[in-house]
Amino acid sequence: MASVKRIAVTGAAGQIGYSILPRIAAGEIFGPKTPVILQCLDLPVAMDALHGVRMELEDCNFPQLKGMVCTDDPKLAFEGVDLALLVGSTPRGPGMQRNDLLRVNGPIFVEQGQALQEVASKKVRVVVVGNPCNTNCWIAMSSAPKLPKKNFSAMTRLDHNRAASQLAMHAGVEYSQVKNVIIWGNHSNTQFPDWNHAVIAGKKAGKVLNDEQWLRGTFIQTVQERGAAVIKARGKSSALSAASSAIDHARLLMQGTREGEWTSMVVVSDGSYGVPKGLMCSFPVECEEGNWRIVKGLKFDDFSREKFQKSIDELVWERETVKPLLPGAAVAAAETVETGRSA
Ligand code: NAX
């Protein structure tokens, strides 16, 4: 039997929490032979609801589930964890602009980054789902300067899955036939879903579809606006698909991508593809045993470069907007990452 893994989930009483917890408890991230302990965090006001989720998980009799912690204290929730899925945050309310959301959620990720640094395993992998996830991840990473930057990532796998399924449906093939789409940039409607390197049943997607107008227009727009379309249809934001994609993200990170395949993931830029060093940006990555590397050497045409640059510019603006939220020491550490200067 593999050694037990402790997995923290924040916002555990929320919609995504409800969909993701049973899948983690069933062993979908580390594999069915690895026992898990779930360490669930939510706000004090959500403790009754979280207790109900706990009862349901107990009632499932998952053989891999060896224990559960349910708490409103980040230090208890993150104690000794190997993996932390940071899902909980304040949703965007009516009339809220993106910078309002950044300012409301920033302090959550300062506190959680600091708590992770203090009590989590030194090898902890941190995956941010709560929006705006790129910049929340940058805040958490910058608030935990003693943890390696490479241990932090945020989720664009939902956008990646959306892009792949749109290509599959347009081509009339099964979902599994589409590989290597890429989401570049921000998890927002400036993201650039890129089909140029994707393959459908082993052939270049552009050649198989032979429909440049659809790819440059409807495809990009559908993927960028899919979250809003789900809200319009369901009256609630994506939860089942977000949970499923978070499972994909964490499983691929921990168990590895297949030979010749990549996933999209928000990771800290090393300067690749002209993305400022230190920015949390979505790239194509290959993964192995909890580590990722950015796929290098892919080419952009002018159209793609312009789309990607728009998203990079938005990320730079977001980072500037949240910098005042970081405690002084964290700002200095973050600037060291950006400039490569030592403190
Ligand atoms: P819900 O509102 O259903 O649940 C959020 C939960 O987080 C609530 O139970 C709330 O009490 C809790 N929470 C709030 N502040 C907290 C804190 N400081 N510590 C611990 N828990 C806290 O939202 P849900 O639909 O589950 O979505 C969660 C987050 O995922 C949102 O920020 C949402 O925008 C984001 N999403 C990210 C996606 C992505 O692709 N990266 C896609 C889906 C989703 O929209």
Side-chain angles (χ1 to χ4, degrees), residues 34-286:
T34 305
V36 295
I37 295 177
L38 282 172
Q39 303 192 184
C40 302
L41 178 72
D42 211 298
L43 296 175
V45 65
M47 284 302 108
D48 283 348
L50 188 55
H51 182 59
V53 176
R54 179 190 193 126
M55 289 194 284
E56 286 204 67
L57 284 164
E58 288 166 358
D59 296 346
C60 291
N61 284 329
F62 287 114
Q64 298 84 355
L65 186 58
K66 300 301 175 196
M68 251 186 293
V69 173
C70 292
T71 178
D72 57 10
D73 178 352
K75 286 197 190 147
L76 275 181
F78 296 149
E79 179 72 46
V81 291
D82 304 286
L83 175 67
L85 300 170
L86 307 188
V87 179
S89 60
T90 306
R92 193 167 176 161
M96 259 174 117
Q97 300 301 317
R98 198 164 176 86
N99 53 355
D100 299 326
L101 192 66
L102 286 162
R103 289 201 183 92
V104 169
N105 281 319
I108 298 175
F109 292 86
V110 171
E111 184 194 17
Q112 294 184 356
Q114 290 172 334
L116 282 161
Q117 171 169 284
E118 205 178 317
V119 299
S121 153
K122 295 298 165 231
K123 294 182 181 167
V124 64
R125 296 302 191 265
V126 181
V127 177
V128 178
V129 174
N131 279 325
C133 67
N134 297 52
T135 299
N136 287 340
C137 189
W138 182 82
I139 295 172
M141 179 183 82
S142 303
S143 303
K146 290 188 189 148
L147 293 175
K149 309 276 174 260
K150 283 194 70 122
N151 292 14
F152 289 79
S153 61
M155 183 171 92
T156 43
R157 178 71 195 197
L158 175 56
D159 311 286
H160 180 110
N161 285 340
R162 287 167 172 168
S165 70
Q166 289 300 316
L167 293 181
M169 288 189 286
H170 201 61
V173 301
E174 287 185 15
Y175 302 127
S176 62
Q177 297 294 301
V178 180
K179 314 258 189 254
N180 293 354
V181 294
I182 303 169
I183 303 299
W184 298 98
N186 200 0
H187 169 67
S188 75
N189 56 12
T190 67
Q191 65 178 260
F192 173 47
D194 186 357
W195 68 91
N196 289 291
H197 311 280
V199 290
I200 299 177
K203 297 193 180 112
K204 282 254 177 204
K207 288 223 165 88
V208 173
L209 292 169
N210 193 25
D211 192 350
E212 197 71 5
Q213 197 186 350
W214 179 83
L215 286 164
R216 288 183 174 215
T218 307
F219 167 70
I220 294 179
Q221 200 183 349
T222 303
V223 177
Q224 287 175 336
E225 295 175 5
R226 187 71 164 179
V230 170
I231 293 175
K232 192 165 173 235
R234 213 172 81 86
K236 290 180 187 166
S237 57
S238 311
L240 176 162
S241 56
S244 190
S245 301
I247 293 278
D248 288 346
H249 176 122
R251 186 192 68 249
L252 291 168
L253 177 64
M254 304 315 298
Q255 296 195 42
T257 46
R258 289 201 192 137
E259 180 81 29
E261 288 183 27
W262 58 63
T263 184
S264 301
M265 195 176 276
V266 174
V267 295
V268 64
S269 172
D270 58 357
S272 296
Y273 299 106
V275 180
K277 218 172 166 182
L279 204 65
M280 293 304 288
C281 181
S282 182
F283 291 102
V285 301
E286 294 165 334

